Structures are given as C-alpha cells and as structure tokens.
Amino acid sequence: MANHLFLPLISPMLAAALALIFTRTKTRNVARGIVLTSVVFNLAYSLWLVWTVATTGIQVTQAAGWEAPFGITLVADGASALMLCVATLLMLVTMSYSFASLDPGYENFFYYPLLLLLLLGVSGAFLTGDIFNLYVWFEVLLLASFGLMTLGGSRAQLEGGLKYVVLNLLGSTAFLMACGLLYGTVGSLNMAHVAERMQSVNNPGIVTVIACLFFFAYGGKAAILPLFFWLPTSYHTPPVAVTAIFSGLLTKVGAYSLYRVLGLVLQDELVRLAPFVLVIAGLTMVVGVFGAMAQMNVRRILSFHIISQIGYTIMGLGLASAVGLAAGLLFTVHVMIVKTALFFIGGAAEQIYGTGDLKKMGGLAQREPLLAIFWFLGILSLAGIPPMSGFFGKLALLQAGVNQGAIGISVIAAFTGILTFFSMLKIWNEVFWKKSYGDMSKLPRVTPGLLLPGALLVMISLALGLGAGVLVDYSQMAGMQLFDRAGYIASVCGVQGCEAIVEAALR
Amino acid sequence: MIFLLAIAIGSLFAGAVYLILRRSVAKLILGLMLLSHAVNLLIFTMGDGGVRRGALPIVDYYTGEVMPNTTDPLVQALILTAIVISFGITAFIMALAYRATQAMKTDDLDDMANTDRL
C-alpha cells in the first residue's frame, strides 16, 4: 500500500478550495501564495515519486482499502510518475508566467482555482488504474479547461470555446461508450483485471470495436489526424499562459491514455491495429506541419505544430513494442517542455506587439536579444538538432522504427523534422530577424516575468539533451513497465492475478 | 426487452447524429443531450440483464449463493455518474452557447468560422 499516491490529488483540491476564498484583488497575494505552495509541494512529491518508482518499482494503493478488482486503484509506474512530474513542473512555470502576464480581472474570476483543478484532473488521469475513474478525471480536467478557455468571454474565445467544448464532448461520449462495451464484454473496469481477462476473450470483433472507440476518444483529445480541428480553432484565443499549459498538458493526457489503455490493457489489439496506427501517425505529422506552414499567426503556427508532434507520439504507440513506447514517452516529455517554452516566448513577443500577426511584427532580435536567443534554442530543440533534448527523442523513435522495419514512417518522421525547422524559421524570420516597419521605441520592453519561464524551460530542454542518458534509461524502464502486462497485473492484484481474488471472494 | 432497448438506443443515436449535423447551435445541444441518453441506455444493457446475461450480480457474503431478485449495481452506478457529469456539462454548454450566439449575433454554425480564418 502506497497511500501517499493520494497526496498529489488532495493538495490541488484543498488549495483550489482555499484560493477561492481569497480571489479579491486585495487578498490576491494570499491566493497566489496558496496555489504556489500547492504546486511546489506537488512538484517535490512527484520528483520523489519518480525516484521511488525507479528504485523500488510500481507503487499501488487501493482507495478505501477495497481489494484490487473491486475498488478504485491508484497506480504509479514509470510512465505515470514521469508524466506527473513534467505536468507539475509545467504548471509551476505557468503559474509564475500568469503572475507576470495576466490581467487582474482573471484572478478575480477564479483563474488559479481553475488551473489547480486542471492539475488535479491531469494528475488523477496519470495515476488512476481504473478505466471508468479515468473517464471521471478526464471530465474534471475538461471542465476546468472549458472554464479556462472561455474565461474573459471575448468573441473569439466564445466561438473557439464552443467548438472546443462540443468536439471534446463527442470524444468523452465515445469514451463512455467504450467503457460500457468493455464492461459488458469482460465484466470489469479495473485496468489490471481487464488486461487479464482480455487474454481469454474469444470474441475478436467486439474487442476491435472497443479498441477503435478508445482510439477515437483519446485520439480526439490528443488531436490526431481527422479529429484535430478543435485545436487550431481555439488555442490562439485565450491568454498566452492558458494556451501554453493546454499545449503542455491536454493533448498529452490523451496520448498518455492511449499508451496506457491500448499499450497495456488492449495490447493484443494494438499489435493487430499497429499498421493503421502508424498510417494515422504519419498523416498527422505531415498534415500538422503543412498546416503550420500555411499560417501567419504565431500561436496558430505553434498550434499546428502540436498536432504534428502528436504524430510522433502516436508513432511510438504504433510501433507496438516496449522500445517504441519508451521512445514515444521520451519524445512526449521533451515536447511537453519545449512546446510550452515556445508558447511562452512567442506569447511574450505577442504581448510586446499587441498582436500575433507575423506581418505586423519584426525586428525583435535587435531589441530583445535574450528573447531571440531562447526562441532559437527552442526551435532547434523542436526540430531535433543536437545537443537539445529533441534530438534524443527523435533519435530514439527513429532507431525503434528502423529496428522494427517500419521504414516508411521513419522516413516521414525524419522528413517532418526538416519541415518543422523550416516552418519555425518563418517565425524567426518574421518576428525576430526582419526589419520592423514601424517605430519600435514606443513598444513595451519584455519583463523578466515574461522572459524567465520560457528561458527556464529551454534550459531544462538543453540540460535534458546534455544529460540525456538519465532520461533515456528512465524512459526505457518506463516503456518496459508500460508494455509488461503480467508485471502490471502482478503489482496491482498480486502474483496470483485478479481472477484469483475474485474467486476467493466468491468462495 | 433487449430488442426494444436496442431499437431505442439506435434511434437515439440516429436522432443525435442528425441533430448534431444541423447548422443551428440549439439543435446541436439537443443532439448532444440525446447522445448522452443513448450512451446511458447502452451502458444499461451491459449489465447482467442484457449482454452478460447470467453473470453473478451480488452473492451472499456467507453462503456464496446468488441473491434472488438482484441486478447488477455497477452499471447503474456508472450511469448515475455519467448522468451527473453530462448534466453539469450540458448546463455549461447552454450558458456558453447563449453567450456565443449573443456575441456573434447568429445561431448558424456556418457563420462561426472567424477563428478558423484568422
């Protein structure tokens, strides 16, 4: 029993409730202090959890002491601990960026409690070991994100928000449908138990239907090819801090759930569907990056790049092996950090000019050289150029792809990397490099509060690239755990398996 | 009974898809509501009375015998959770759609393409 797994859920819940009391402008420093304390605590805890999982293995606890297949299980293995850690880090950085960049009006309307509830939903989704519970955490994080997306109520936000809400709701409905069918087929929703019973289900048709429904539901949240339309239409409308944290967390929760449910629970089905998954991954990469090339707005370009990068994550899934999942995980961690950093830096440029339109920007390299340096390092990392972390993420994916004979997708992935660099250079040229048309002396200077969050994340990406060995080893361990069905069942239900516990209870 | 339920679920799905594909925001919301009802009924049929007919719903703690006149409580718990969640989200969408149609001065989804074009 590792009851400490409840701590990262209790802390943001309590802090969100407390921060609600202090939303007025007069007491806003109290609210900031409370939310910061909670997030710093979560970060410290998740770092400790990463270390604990690496040294002592999978951590499991059962809610209210109900034995595994009957109650709700919380499980922290390598993948969930790593994702939890990165998500909390991003939340901490986003908080500090919000302190510097946000209108006070937002703080009066429950901005920080919503951020904490988002963190709560994300942490819960990473830690849960029960599929219906995962659905509930998804709804928690979606409702918080709905609030954040539309907070402010500008015209664009309402319009983008409506599309975002409706398309995500359709995904949730498919998720619920898949839960129902899964329960009807195997009679359990505990991931370990489902994984165990899946091996003896002799009805391949319904299992394929369930796997495809899950793929549709999580794929919609992760913004894979035919389901990404909610993303570029809504991500440029809310404040920069909100877009940044969304880009870091939301699509990645979808990707993580794909890894967990298809990679672990419905593993045999994933192996069967792998060629289709790889095709979708390739198309997502290419369509995302071409979409980005056609845009002329900083945040819309970055939004399309989210889609393109999700293609790489899905490629890791489509390789359907421990090595593939490990590589995909490594890449996802890198892209969460770098993408958020780029949104922060691009957003800082946007705040200086008061617009995200590339045609109206220019000349920022001369005026804000630090911002330009960090932006350039960031796009090097996104494109996958050593020594930044992106290089190792892509290298691992390409190695796994080539070793498994998936040459086509590997070529597309390498090609997309070049196109990514090309379309990021467009922002570099337009915003930083070209001459400014207007008089720049009246524009505001970048404040440390706007610069430092992005700079910090870029430095972390550089550090992860220079010390890549640690993260590569860890992600390989996490990939092994993620693909090791027997090991997962044994750590949740004991070596006898979940069925033995059910038998014992019936006797 | 299961056939009647199957027909009902199918009709609800068909109606929901039809309404969601219309251009009006109000019909879109009605479609989403129908969809959530359809899924709830689908989950309902997944209990021991439907697909898993004959599965043990509840057994006596001491004797291990199947209790008479019991039904699978888990599907009902799932549906209850789903109803509460979809209720909350529907309320949110209605408020959002109301504000959006006010701000855009239109109920037609085809006119809501400004954020795509920017």
Side-chain angles (χ1 to χ4, degrees), chain A residues 2 29 164 253:
Chain A
N29 282 334
Y164 172 78
V253 179

Side-chain angles (χ1 to χ4, degrees), chain A residues 207-237:
Chain A
V207 180
T208 308
V209 169
I210 292 170
C212 290
L213 271 174
F214 275 125
F215 192 65
F216 174 84
Y218 301 139
K221 317 258 180 224
I224 59 170
L225 173 68
L227 310 167
F228 64 73
F229 295 101
W230 55 271
L231 197 151
T233 189
S234 59
Y235 266 31
H236 60 289
T237 56

